Amino acid sequence: MSNSDPAKTTSRGMLKGLTRYGDAGFSLFLRKAFIKAMGYSDSALDRPIIGITNTFSDFNPCHGNVPQMIEAAKRGVMQAGGMPMVFPTISIHESFAFPTSMYLRNLMALDTEEMIRAQPVDAVVLIGGCDKTIPAQLMAAASVAVPVIVIPTGPMLTTTYQGDRLGACTDCRRYWAKFRAHEIDQTEIDAVNEKLAPTTGTCMVMGTASTIACMTEAAGMSLAGTAAVPAVMAERFRLAEFTGRRAVELAQLPDPSTFSSQAILTPQAFTNAFTVLHAIGGSTNALIHFTAIAARLGIQIDLEAIDRLGRHVPVLVDLKPSGSHYMEHLYEDGGLMAILQELKPHLYLDCLTISGRTLGEEIESAQNNKSMARHKKVIRIAAEPIFPVGGLAVLKGNLAPRGAVIKHSAATPALLQHRGRAVVFTSLEDLASRIDRDDLDVRAEDILVLQNAGPKGAPGMPEAGYLPIPKKLAQAGVKDMVRLSDARMSGTAFGTIVLHITPEAAENGPLAAVRNGDMIELDVPKRSITLLVDEAEIKQRLAELGAPEARLEIPATGYRRLYQTTVTQADVGCDFDFMVPVATRSAPLIKE
Ligand code: FES
């Protein structure tokens, strides 16, 4: 690479985004001087520069294979004539994020976006996996013009405990519920703890990480086949190598913006992703994340359209928590492409994917791959679904004027139409201190209500919507109750659980008006959630609460201030309001 005038040269590679010293030639001179300290030659630096995000962290076992993934991606980049440059970003693990991983998702999105923008990369390989990481990376991708390609870390393998196949974290909850109900003792729960996560990788049920990986592939942002291959398998590293190679091709396009996220993530691509969300019985969290990604692109996601979509798309995938298998079985049954094969009548097949082929072409290609013979045990044929309609339903009513969501494919059918007395917990602290008390006035047919666990109230909308069954009821054999909140729920959880009630209680949504003993009616077939209290009385109770800001205790400085003063509600994705463009693009989300 010469030191010629960078202003006269196409702005690629090392010439991109020169640090501003007021003299571009000096900026390039200085940049080269420093990077040569790492031993790079001019010919290495003349190649297309491919950024690779390093989200490895000792606190993130879901990303335990990232070093090997990076090596594989680098190999692919080098094979194709590019120069790989690895850079770190925030890494978020669900169990190592206080107060909750969602609180940090937007920070990771900002970090990733600005590092892509700041550094001279021609294309970027995004390696993510644990729940919030790929959403954060795609939010970043939606805000930059550089082509990016995602490669998930992939799911863990399973093992067994006394012949019972276990997986994180649906079975974490199942065994914890047994422990709370005194069905198993401390020795046994400790033994189970050793077995739940037997390899690196993401949770191996159809939790949030697997859901996001499937939706990302369906939306065209990762190569075909990348969603389901287990984290420790050789094939995953080969896919990382292919991803690196493809990144170089993207970087060398005459106009790389033709494969930017803006070009791939069209309204039709989002429809394909939400169609998959329904068909896999996927995580409710994905609704928020993909809404946030779309919002950054100026695409408004209409929750009622998502609900209508679900009325036509059956659940085809027999995976926990809606079914009974694990991601390794989905992989053996053909992975996402086999699901898409069954879903073809519901998909926009001409959507462009990051590979350069359309989604339809990718499905055809996978079908012709003889090594992916279908067993049809885990991925049902469309005529024999495991649930006749999509996995999620959107509810509205005087308790959730802007919507709420329930994963009815993982709920107790008898509770989907239910009227019960509210047992209210006003905060996470209140829940923790009273749920197991012997004197708690609660019966199996009651409805548990959690307030102030939403985006601003908690803050960070923790996965607290899976309220535990009160111990005395659990010990009496109660397995499920109707539970409502403005919180989220882990994609690995199950039960008759209404989530994301919007507006949240901390914003003086009607959820804040619910009191002990009020009657609530849930009617999922009618898509309604109703507080059976006179409207004037609800208004009066909300007026008595006063201004929300006074109750939130927002600090004067720091990230928490930024978060609580700018985070949006669940129906627009819980992004920072200043990241969502004012102008919106609208397009039909339903293929009529
Ligand atoms: Fe990382 Fe489940 S905790 S994917």
Side-chain angles (χ1 to χ4, degrees), residues 62 93-94 130-131 202-203 209:
C62 302
H93 184 271
E94 288 301 294
C130 195
D131 293 11
T202 52
C203 292

Side-chain angles (χ1 to χ4, degrees), residues 60 62 92-95 129-131 156 168-169 201-203 208-210 492:
N60 195 343
C62 302
I92 307 170
H93 184 271
E94 288 301 294
S95 299
C130 195
D131 293 11
M156 294 180 234
C169 234
T202 52
C203 292
T208 303
S210 302
T492 63

